[in-house]
Amino acid sequence: MKVAKFGGSSVANAEQLRKVANIIQDDRERKVIVVSAPGKRFSEDTKVTDLLIELGDAYLKNEPYDSKLQKILDRFQEITTELQISDRVIKEIEDGIHSILSSDDSDALKMDALKATGEDSLAKVLSVYLQSLGLKAAYLNPKNAGIFVSDNPGSAQILDESYEHLYKLRNRDDIVVIPGFFGYTLDGKLITFSRGGSDITGSIVAAGVRADLYENFTDVDSVYCVNPNIVENPKEITSLTYKEMRELSYAGFSVFHDEALIPAFKADIPVCIKNTNNPQGMGTIIVAQKAAQPNPVVGIASDTGFVSIYVSKYLMNRELGFGRKLLTILEDEGISFEHTPSGIDDISVIVRESRMPKDKEERVIARIKKELKPDTVHVDRDLALIMVVGEGLDSTVGLADKATHAFAKANVNLEMINQGSSEVSMMFGIKASKVNESVRALYEMFFQ
């Protein structure tokens, strides 16, 4: 049995849904299908999920939202009309949105229910289309599938009992189409995963049914070793380990949500990334282990939007509890940290810029000065992190030397180096303005 997940670009319009249907029909093992909400049809287009968020924001601000609702209905109407199937789902969407907005639920629950409308509606449309082609197919709501989650709006976590329920899907003889991105609490509340959560659903379902393969269909032939927007025609990666993919996803690779592989990884299910527009292509296979390679580096990822909080105090290392007190200040402000490189008298805490706006920065700095009495404390913004990833980095001599030479060749100053916290990656902090030339230099060093 295979679980196939189709992303937003794969279900953006009727033409793409025809390709999806052909892919499903080409392999009888594709019995469980997970779908995203319709994505962009062209570069300037807006994803349906973003349209739903705009509608919700307008509602919460007591602003008119009828035009925003109509845009959403028009997207689905266009699809059903071109596929020549029943458009009853259009009325269901409209009634469903009005029902959500008029409910007694909290604003957070309303937003989750709104955001889930895109996936839910598309799953219904695809199931009807498959039926129109003579296939035995059915829409399956996540609650009926057994996807039960924690009560954390916008960041649900799967509950262990879900897997036992999902395994029962193996007994079905039809094709089931499940909307991604959301599940239900045990008391019936609709809760979404974090953004990009359809990948999480696909991985959860694959683990639950103990699939032989989890196929994730997107709009690229494979994972590339570097962002093709930075390096022209980069090398393709034919195989990755789960650890490598997770590190790359965290550091900016957009193919997978960085949480998505965990259920598949725990269940030891291979994952294959394939292109909806070229389904016969080999794609990239992701497995638990792979044979050693001559070049241990498989990819170079980069991401911007980081902030470094630098704190210095003489003999900091002898002050019991200093690090805990610093992190407690961040916890009190609701700021999660990414990395904490430290020395004898110094410590830096790297956080996402989005988690520390200027007003929080002022409070954090004031508290650090008052409670920790440092010699120096300051914040550096506009930082980027670059990750060199590959199994075997920790046991290969000279890789760090190659990386630092690449930065030197590109005339880029290193703000931070962190090696050793992960067996499969080396991390470098630089100014965001220097990302592209740094990545190109690293690519040349390791792949050319």
Side-chain angles (χ1 to χ4, degrees):
M1 173 183 281
K2 296 179 182 177
V3 171
K5 181 262 176 181
F6 293 90
S9 61
S10 301
V11 297
N13 55 30
E15 179 185 358
Q16 291 299 97
L17 283 173
R18 291 191 186 99
K19 296 177 184 177
V20 169
N22 288 334
I23 290 169
I24 295 170
Q25 291 180 93
D26 283 344
D27 191 338
R28 292 183 179 179
E29 291 298 305
R30 293 178 178 129
K31 300 289 289 182
V32 182
I33 311 300
V34 176
V35 294
S36 297
K40 292 184 177 183
R41 297 161 293 184
F42 44 87
S43 58
E44 297 79 20
D45 200 13
T46 304
K47 297 177 180 180
V48 164
T49 301
D50 289 328
L51 293 175
L52 288 160
I53 291 172
E54 289 176 10
L55 187 156
D57 288 340
Y59 168 80
L60 294 177
K61 295 175 182 176
N62 292 316
E63 296 174 354
Y65 58 83
D66 288 347
S67 63
K68 301 180 187 301
L69 173 58
Q70 193 57 51
K71 285 183 181 179
I72 296 164
L73 299 178
D74 288 345
R75 284 291 298 272
F76 284 97
Q77 183 71 68
E78 177 185 281
I79 292 172
T80 57
T81 298
E82 290 190 30
L83 293 179
Q84 298 181 339
I85 59 175
S86 170
D87 62 357
R88 66 176 184 270
V89 70
I90 310 301
K91 187 72 167 75
E92 291 180 18
I93 296 170
E94 184 173 13
D95 291 345
I97 288 175
H98 287 308
S99 176
I100 291 167
L101 298 180
S102 62
S103 71
D104 295 328
D105 290 335
S106 66
D107 290 345
L109 288 176
K110 286 180 179 179
M111 284 299 292
D112 270 21
L114 281 175
K115 288 186 291 184
T117 300
E119 280 80 5
D120 197 50
S121 302
L122 197 283
K124 293 174 181 176
V125 168
L126 178 58
S127 64
V128 171
Y129 179 53
L130 294 175
Q131 291 166 11
S132 75
L133 298 176
L135 298 177
K136 190 175 181 181
Y139 158 83
L140 187 62
N141 184 274
K143 182 189 291 185
N144 296 328
I147 300 176
F148 296 109
V149 298
S150 61
D151 192 353
N152 302 103
S155 58
Q157 297 293 314
I158 193 70
L159 300 183
D160 288 341
E161 51 261 52
S162 300
Y163 296 107
E164 183 179 345
H165 292 290
L166 286 165
Y167 187 73
K168 298 173 184 175
L169 296 180
R170 294 187 68 95
N171 299 325
R172 297 184 62 138
D173 61 355
D174 56 353
I175 299 168
V176 294
V177 184
I178 303 173
F181 190 34
F182 69 100
Y184 287 83
T185 63
L186 294 176
D187 58 356
K189 299 175 188 173
L190 187 158
I191 306 289
T192 64
F193 297 109
S194 53
R195 191 71 188 265
S198 291
D199 285 336
I200 299 175
T201 301
S203 185
I204 288 168
V205 172
V209 301
R210 300 176 196 171
D212 299 304
L213 180 67
Y214 168 38
E215 297 176 308
N216 191 292
F217 284 88
T218 178
D219 55 4
V220 294
D221 281 338
S222 63
V223 177
Y224 297 101
C225 64
V226 70
N227 186 341
N229 293 319
I230 298 177
V231 175
E232 188 175 355
N233 297 320
K235 295 181 183 297
E236 297 180 355
I237 304 174
T238 56
S239 64
L240 283 166
T241 65
Y242 294 113
K243 284 184 178 181
E244 288 171 338
M245 189 70 235
R246 179 157 164 73
E247 292 278 356
L248 290 169
S249 297
Y250 163 77
F253 270 43
S254 59
V255 176
F256 259 121
H257 188 290
D258 64 345
E259 297 177 21
L261 290 181
I262 295 174
F265 166 69
K266 289 181 177 179
D268 197 21
I269 294 168
V271 179
C272 190
I273 298 172
K274 297 179 75 70
N275 190 347
T276 304
N277 304 308
N278 181 27
Q280 303 308 318
M282 183 169 61
T284 298
I285 192 76
I286 304 170
V287 293
Q289 294 180 323
K290 65 177 186 181
Q293 304 294 317
N295 177 12
V297 177
V298 297
I300 302 162
S302 60
D303 201 7
T304 57
F306 292 93
V307 171
S308 173
I309 306 169
Y310 172 77
V311 182
S312 177
K313 187 176 184 180
Y314 182 60
L315 297 180
M316 176 194 297
N317 63 316
R318 297 187 186 179
E319 189 171 328
L320 192 64
F322 189 93
R324 174 185 55 79
K325 293 173 185 176
L326 175 59
L327 295 179
T328 297
I329 292 172
L330 297 181
E331 181 183 359
D332 291 345
E333 291 292 337
I335 302 171
S336 59
F337 73 93
E338 306 292 322
H339 305 278
T340 57
S342 62
I344 298 173
D345 300 321
D346 314 89
I347 184 170
S348 294
V349 183
I350 311 299
V351 303
R352 294 275 181 182
E353 195 165 13
S354 59
R355 293 172 183 155
M356 197 172 77
K358 287 290 186 179
D359 58 329
K360 280 191 177 182
E361 177 185 325
E362 293 172 2
R363 292 197 301 271
V364 166
I365 296 300
R367 284 193 60 184
I368 291 173
K369 288 180 177 179
K370 179 181 178 181
E371 298 173 29
L372 301 181
K373 297 179 173 54
D375 299 325
T376 304
V377 57
H378 62 81
V379 170
D380 289 327
R381 290 183 173 268
D382 301 319
L383 293 179
L385 297 183
I386 295 180
M387 202 87 81
V388 176
V389 176
E391 296 275 3
L393 290 187
D394 60 334
S395 58
T396 304
V397 175
L399 289 179
D401 178 64
K402 283 187 175 183
T404 53
H405 271 78
F407 283 107
K409 185 177 179 181
N411 196 30
V412 174
N413 183 54
L414 291 173
E415 305 287 331
M416 179 187 64
I417 302 176
N418 190 3
Q419 184 180 13
S421 58
S422 169
E423 296 178 350
V424 298
S425 69
M426 293 184 291
M427 188 187 70
F428 302 91
I430 64 170
K431 288 297 184 182
S433 60
K434 297 290 187 177
V435 165
N436 288 1
E437 49 261 62
S438 298
V439 170
R440 292 189 191 104
L442 288 165
Y443 179 80
E444 182 177 341
M445 178 64 72
F446 288 110
F447 293 100
Q448 293 183 330

